[in-house]
Amino acid sequence: MDQQHEQARVDGHARTPVATIADEHRRNGARLDSDLARQAAAGRTVRDDAAVVFDLDDVTVSYAGFPAIRNVSMQVRERMITALIGPSGCGKTTLLRTLNRMNDLIPSASVEGTVRYKGADLYARHVDPVEVRRRIGMVFQKANPFPKSIRDNILFGPKATGMTFDADDLVEKSLRGAALWDEVKDKLDSSALGLSGGQQQRLCIARAIAVEPDTILMDEPCSALDPIATGAIENLMRELREHYTIIIVTHNMQQAARASDMTAFVTTEVSHDEDGRDRRSGRLIEYDRTEVIFGDPRDTRTEDYVSGRFG
Amino acid sequence: MTSDVRGAGGPAVDLRAGSRRLGEKLVLTLLWVCAAASILTTVGIVVILFSEAAGFFREEAVSLRGFLTGTTWQPFGGAQGKFGVLPLVAGTLLVTVIALLVAVPLGLTSAAYLSEYASPRTRRILKPVLEVLAGVPTVVLGYFALTFMTPLLRATVGQLTTISVFNAASAGIVMGIMIVPTVASLSEDAMSAVPQALREGAYGLGATKRHVVHSVVMPAALSGIVAAIILALGRAIGETMIVALAAGNLPNLTYNPFEQIQTMTAYIVQAVQGEAPRGSLTYESIFAVGALLFVITLLINIAAARFVRRFREVYS
């Protein structure tokens, strides 16, 4: 009941009553009974009526003609945390970078199929990747603050995109939004590289939200961080979900179970080309609510992965 | 319980170096000798330069102060000669500044193009071509300045002002072309070494390529870029052949790039060719000018090192 209460408070504008995942989880009688399944079922809400932000239809991404991930069709909904999980090299990051045209920076990369963002084809001829990236921010695996002051890191994007802004307000708002303000408010003009790894990653999140994007893509943002810093980032993600759509690639299944609303499981499939050589490419195996993926997956490959029998 | 340990009490294993260790020592000695030889040569050059220059300043006709502040350079009059080095310094600086005005913009834009815009294929072809330019003998470039650049200047700018046959502008422009590969190639190395993660961070925020280049790549590569410019500057200041052929041999305290001048290096060539007798004032003045050239280059290097330490953006 507490959870429903919480839900009503958070989601006061929801048009349809929404059951918590935990309730549904209990009704369904989950197949898996693990810590992950319990974490995944704890106090989570998925709004079935949330607008579709990304609509992928049969998307294949290739490097130099070889598909890294193929035939992905999925819909990502607004203001939720969607996790992409799967073994190393399965194409999760490639898929993520397709969503804000970051793969354009790799000359050999090509995309087939359609990626629609709020109804617009991201790969249509007239689309400017710079404009795409302004709306769809990105946080990287390794924190990559610019070798400039904390303030200049925040203001870089707004200056680059020609926003009009009040510098002091924007710096404070962005740093508060990334739960970093109290730690750095007295040293805004010192180098961002003097911050700890976890602080640097939160600065990168602050930098991303300073340009007021709609969506934030996170590529294993906690893989280089200790558990405390990871916890801080996960708390932050839950706060950011109020305003942003978040897609996160993670190797850490606990993280996906704890933090995400929806989970997509991607894995590597081996096929043989006409010469009999192995061709490895990623496939989207299963995409569902996080509690279903971790508690009651439909595909045995997903079940093997989330229960630790593979990968 | 010694019986537990196999071989205990028997002859110990021989752990001494075998004979092949001798060869290693030989190689080490050889390497040390080579390294020491190059350092000793440098030290020797500096010592001779300054001891001969000191001999010049011990002469009654000259003083260090008069040498550094004098504005007339008439070194061939024996004891009646005037040894005020400023016209030579001014000539050197004039040509060098012109060279840098040509080389820095050309070199940096070439570097930015090669590092950030060119396709890998284009870069593979263009960079070696650019570096070939660094291998053109300077005497050829000197001829190029005298027989191509000077007539070109006279046909264009010459409509507005008088341009002497030998002039600083022509030598300076060609010298600038000479050092473009140094600036471009080393700056390109520095820009390419900027981690891709920094570029992606900027692109991820919606930055355009132009913004990424001048706000992320250039500042992060600054120390390498400044080092490239300093190296090019050193080559320009020390360059002899182009100025000897195209800039003239008239010690002339002027800022007009279209007049004939003489640089410090060109004077040294002139004096040596004039067979100044050993021990004469003219002969000794060569070393004084050489020592000054050395000190100027050294000061520029120190200033650049400080500049880099203060302004570079360390990204590791």
Side-chain angles (χ1 to χ4, degrees):
Chain A
M1 280 303 108
D2 274 350
Q3 283 163 353
Q4 271 176 347
H5 208 76
E6 173 83 3
Q7 163 59 19
R9 190 175 61 74
V10 164
D11 211 32
H13 63 280
R15 276 157 293 178
T16 50
V18 198
T20 68
I21 291 297
D23 291 343
E24 198 182 318
H25 185 67
R26 280 189 288 275
R27 272 201 305 279
N28 290 347
R31 202 158 85 219
L32 296 177
D33 188 31
S34 64
D35 282 352
L36 286 175
R38 276 189 291 278
Q39 282 176 1
R44 193 172 311 280
T45 60
V46 171
R47 299 178 292 263
D48 286 329
D49 61 327
V52 172
V53 176
F54 285 103
D55 187 355
L56 283 71
D57 185 19
D58 201 23
V59 171
T60 297
V61 189
S62 307
Y63 295 118
F66 298 114
I69 184 164
R70 59 193 169 93
N71 309 112
V72 174
S73 298
M74 66 188 286
Q75 294 184 329
V76 176
R77 289 173 183 276
E78 190 170 41
R79 290 186 198 177
M80 286 185 198
I81 301 176
T82 301
L84 301 177
I85 63 168
S88 293
C90 70
K92 308 181 293 289
T93 297
T94 296
L95 183 61
L96 190 76
R97 290 167 61 96
T98 305
L99 301 181
N100 70 340
R101 297 202 47 176
M102 214 58 176
N103 279 337
D104 288 19
L105 302 180
I106 300 167
S108 67
S110 61
V111 177
E112 294 158 64
T114 49
V115 183
R116 289 187 178 281
Y117 175 70
K118 295 188 172 176
D121 184 353
L122 275 188
Y123 286 84
R125 188 175 288 274
H126 60 273
V127 169
D128 177 10
V130 169
E131 186 58 26
V132 171
R133 295 184 201 121
R134 199 195 67 67
R135 289 163 191 269
I136 308 171
M138 192 158 199
V139 176
F140 297 84
Q141 183 169 2
K142 190 169 166 287
N144 56 352
F146 303 123
K148 301 174 190 289
S149 70
I150 293 169
R151 182 196 306 274
D152 287 346
N153 264 274
I154 300 291
L155 296 179
F156 182 91
K159 282 180 186 163
T161 53
M163 283 169 57
T164 49
F165 57 88
D166 179 287
D168 289 341
D169 278 359
L170 186 63
V171 168
E172 179 169 349
K173 196 177 101 193
S174 306
L175 287 169
R176 281 193 191 281
L180 190 60
W181 172 252
D182 291 329
E183 290 159 67
V184 302
K185 63 184 175 196
D186 299 322
K187 50 176 182 179
L188 294 177
D189 291 311
S190 56
S191 170
L193 297 175
L195 299 175
S196 72
Q199 289 173 324
Q200 288 190 6
Q201 195 60 290
R202 275 180 286 152
L203 177 64
C204 290
I205 294 173
R207 189 174 74 177
I209 60 183
V211 291
E212 297 170 1
D214 317 308
T215 302
I216 302 175
L217 308 177
M218 297 187 175
D219 184 7
E220 298 187 47
C222 302
S223 66
L225 303 181
D226 65 35
I228 293 171
T230 301
I233 302 260
E234 284 175 17
N235 288 337
L236 173 58
M237 280 164 51
R238 277 187 279 272
E239 285 174 29
L240 292 174
R241 181 175 53 178
E242 301 295 311
H243 305 285
Y244 304 95
T245 306
I246 296 176
I247 305 178
I248 176 171
V249 163
T250 180
H251 263 123
N252 180 338
M253 281 190 281
Q254 268 92 9
Q255 183 166 60
R258 273 195 305 261
S260 71
D261 303 305
M262 300 289 289
T263 298
F265 172 62
V266 181
T267 193
T268 309
E269 264 188 8
V270 181
S271 57
H272 302 284
D273 64 11
E274 50 270 36
D275 299 331
R277 277 177 303 214
D278 283 3
R279 286 278 173 252
R280 288 164 187 279
S281 55
R283 298 297 302 268
L284 174 63
I285 301 302
E286 192 167 354
Y287 173 49
D288 210 323
R289 284 177 284 200
T290 297
E291 68 97 18
V292 175
I293 295 290
F294 285 97
D296 192 15
R298 288 189 184 84
D299 196 293
T300 52
R301 286 169 292 184
T302 315
E303 186 172 338
D304 286 350
Y305 186 76
V306 300
S307 57
R309 283 197 286 271
F310 160 67
Chain B
M1 299 293 282
T2 51
S3 59
D4 284 352
V5 184
R6 261 174 50 136
V13 180
D14 188 359
L15 294 176
R16 287 171 301 176
S19 58
R20 77 196 144 82
R21 199 59 65 83
L22 197 69
E24 246 171 73
K25 274 186 181 161
L26 206 70
V27 169
L28 189 69
T29 314
L30 195 71
L31 291 178
W32 190 88
V33 168
C34 291
S38 62
I39 292 171
L40 283 177
T41 311
T42 311
V43 171
I45 290 173
V46 173
V47 167
I48 289 179
L49 196 57
F50 281 95
S51 62
E52 294 279 348
F56 174 72
F57 292 116
R58 273 195 297 272
E59 301 282 347
E60 276 174 36
V62 287
S63 67
L64 183 60
R65 193 193 150 94
F67 174 73
L68 290 178
T69 58
T71 54
T72 311
W73 186 257
Q74 287 168 359
F76 298 110
Q80 283 76 49
K82 292 205 169 79
F83 294 94
V85 81
L86 282 184
L88 295 185
V89 174
T92 298
L93 291 184
L94 184 60
V95 176
T96 303
V97 166
I98 294 168
L100 287 182
L101 286 178
V102 172
V104 170
L106 272 182
L108 287 189
T109 46
S110 309
Y113 171 73
L114 285 175
S115 163
E116 306 299 317
Y117 292 89
S119 70
R121 202 182 115 86
T122 315
R123 182 186 335 188
R124 260 201 320 277
I125 297 167
L126 277 189
K127 208 178 171 193
V129 170
L130 192 68
E131 283 164 356
V132 163
L133 188 57
V136 176
T138 55
V139 67
V140 173
L141 291 172
Y143 248 88
F144 175 71
L146 190 61
T147 61
F148 176 78
M149 192 54 74
T150 301
L152 183 69
L153 283 177
R154 295 183 104 184
T156 51
V157 192
Q159 309 294 325
L160 307 168
T161 176
T162 343
I163 300 181
S164 144
V165 175
F166 298 103
N167 63 79
S170 172
I173 291 168
V174 172
M175 194 190 280
I177 293 169
M178 175 189 83
I179 58 177
V180 161
T182 308
V183 176
S185 184
L186 293 177
S187 301
E188 199 268 334
D189 289 344
M191 289 183 198
S192 296
V194 173
Q196 186 66 12
L198 285 186
R199 288 189 192 90
E200 291 195 341
Y203 284 124
L205 295 169
T208 59
K209 189 144 208 167
R210 187 186 62 79
H211 200 83
V212 172
V213 172
H214 83 79
S215 301
V216 175
V217 177
M218 291 269 200
L222 183 70
S223 61
I225 292 172
V226 171
I229 294 173
I230 295 305
L231 197 69
L233 180 66
R235 283 197 66 193
I237 290 181
E239 169 52 33
T240 310
M241 222 49 224
I242 296 173
V243 286
L245 284 172
N249 268 327
L250 184 70
N252 184 1
L253 192 60
T254 177
Y255 295 106
N256 182 349
F258 302 117
E259 281 181 28
Q260 184 175 181
I261 51 120
Q262 186 171 44
T263 67
M264 297 161 82
T265 51
Y267 165 69
I268 294 174
V269 172
Q270 185 192 21
V272 170
Q273 283 172 338
E275 290 170 17
R278 192 183 170 89
S280 72
L281 256 183
T282 311
Y283 174 83
E284 285 177 328
S285 73
I286 296 171
F287 291 93
V289 172
L292 182 61
L293 200 55
F294 176 82
V295 168
I296 290 175
T297 316
L298 195 67
L299 288 180
I300 290 171
N301 279 335
I302 291 170
R306 290 203 164 185
F307 172 85
V308 166
R309 214 176 306 137
R310 188 145 165 216
F311 290 104
R312 76 172 160 171
E313 294 187 341
V314 186
Y315 48 75
S316 53

